[in-house]
Amino acid sequence: MVAPYHVNGSPFGDWDGTPAGARLLQRELAKQVSLIDDFPPLRTIAGVDVGFEEGGAVTRAAAVLLDAETLQPIAEHLVRVPTSMPYIPGLLSFRELPAVLQALSGLPHAPDLVFCDGQGIAHPRRLGIAAHLGVVSGLPTIGVAKKILVGTHEELGTSRGDQVDLVYQGEVLGTVLRSKDGVRPLIVSPGHRVSLASAPLLVMTCVTRYRLPEPTRLADRLASRRAAGR
DNA sequence: GCGACAG
DNA sequence: ATCTTGTCGC
């Protein structure tokens, strides 16, 4: 017997609480994902990420709002909620999305685009956390991951800006992108309302002197309770 | 059946 | 993700 996890209502619809039910729901929600660029001129961009405390008992979700022009933080919001589900590869959004949505709603206003830590459509059922977040929030989203979940790719150049397609089941689902000379590449994939071609361009637009784009880096820092680094 | 496996 | 100090390299 599989132990059912707590259901909230909003991000999971009528999920039955089982991993099998979660996978079915992902296939349904994936049909609502749009890979066509559909976002306003970028004025603000948000970065969201999750961290844990108390040995995993408490989930910390952080949302940071940045000025799209200067990449400087405008506002940030942090929430702490009891962890409701264990980490299961492929079902990350069911563990982190509730907290992420709360963190996002705590910002002074909705962003024009959201950078999410993890995969967009580069997922077994085309619904990584960034795509899931996009569908349930209606916001344009991009997934920026540090590792590949699924898919393969050709050799990648070693210079900043070099990129190659991430292919899975004969389909291009994302981009393996070298954000800085010599660093491990980022795995970028559209979440919602962003095209495969635009995603890496938008990410590079937010990269300054670090491997991670600013929205992701700042949210990551806040969620992991770390300090700044001048 | 055997490995792989975002955070 | 998290547990954790110093250390190697640009």
Side-chain angles (χ1 to χ4, degrees):
Chain A
M1 186 64 188
V2 183
Y5 307 112
H6 289 198
V7 183
N8 261 318
S10 36
F12 308 139
D14 52 19
W15 178 37
D16 66 5
T18 68
R23 295 184 183 99
L24 288 197
L25 178 53
Q26 290 181 321
R27 290 199 165 83
E28 283 310 304
L29 294 178
K31 297 174 183 173
Q32 293 175 46
V33 169
S34 170
L35 297 182
I36 295 175
D37 285 315
D38 177 28
F39 48 84
L42 301 181
R43 301 175 84 285
T44 61
I45 298 177
V48 296
D49 191 25
V50 169
F52 298 89
E53 301 175 0
E54 311 300 317
V58 174
T59 299
R60 287 168 55 99
V64 179
L65 188 66
L66 298 79
D67 178 305
E69 196 62 46
T70 67
L71 296 183
Q72 293 305 303
I74 297 172
E76 57 182 43
H77 189 63
L78 181 66
V79 299
R80 299 169 82 254
V81 302
T83 300
S84 60
M85 214 188 97
Y87 166 68
I88 299 175
L91 301 185
L92 179 66
S93 62
F94 288 78
R95 170 176 165 85
E96 305 188 341
L97 209 47
V100 166
L101 288 170
Q102 279 188 48
L104 261 183
S105 63
L107 293 177
H109 66 74
D112 294 320
L113 173 67
V114 181
F115 277 39
C116 197
D117 208 30
Q119 314 296 335
I121 60 169
H123 176 279
R125 290 164 295 283
R126 316 303 194 263
L127 196 83
I129 188 168
H132 196 161
L133 170 61
V135 168
V136 304
S137 71
L139 296 171
T141 62
I142 293 178
V144 179
K146 303 175 198 63
K147 298 175 182 175
I148 289 175
L149 173 58
V150 294
T152 59
H153 62 87
E154 299 299 294
E155 297 306 314
L156 175 65
T158 183
S159 305
R160 174 194 179 100
D162 285 343
Q163 63 176 73
V164 294
D165 290 340
L166 176 65
V167 180
Y168 181 59
Q169 299 182 328
E171 217 175 321
V172 176
L173 297 183
T175 303
V176 180
L177 175 67
R178 191 86 67 184
S179 58
K180 299 258 303 170
D181 288 2
V183 304
R184 283 175 295 123
L186 297 178
I187 312 306
V188 178
S189 61
H192 187 47
R193 298 194 176 201
V194 174
S195 69
L196 275 161
S198 296
L201 291 174
L202 290 165
V203 168
M204 284 310 292
T205 286
C206 294
V207 172
T208 59
R209 57 174 301 197
Y210 304 92
R211 177 167 87 115
L212 299 177
E214 290 303 283
T216 300
R217 191 178 72 83
L218 297 179
D220 203 73
R221 213 180 59 183
L222 184 57
S224 298
R225 61 155 64 269
R226 290 177 306 185
R230 274 306 63 149

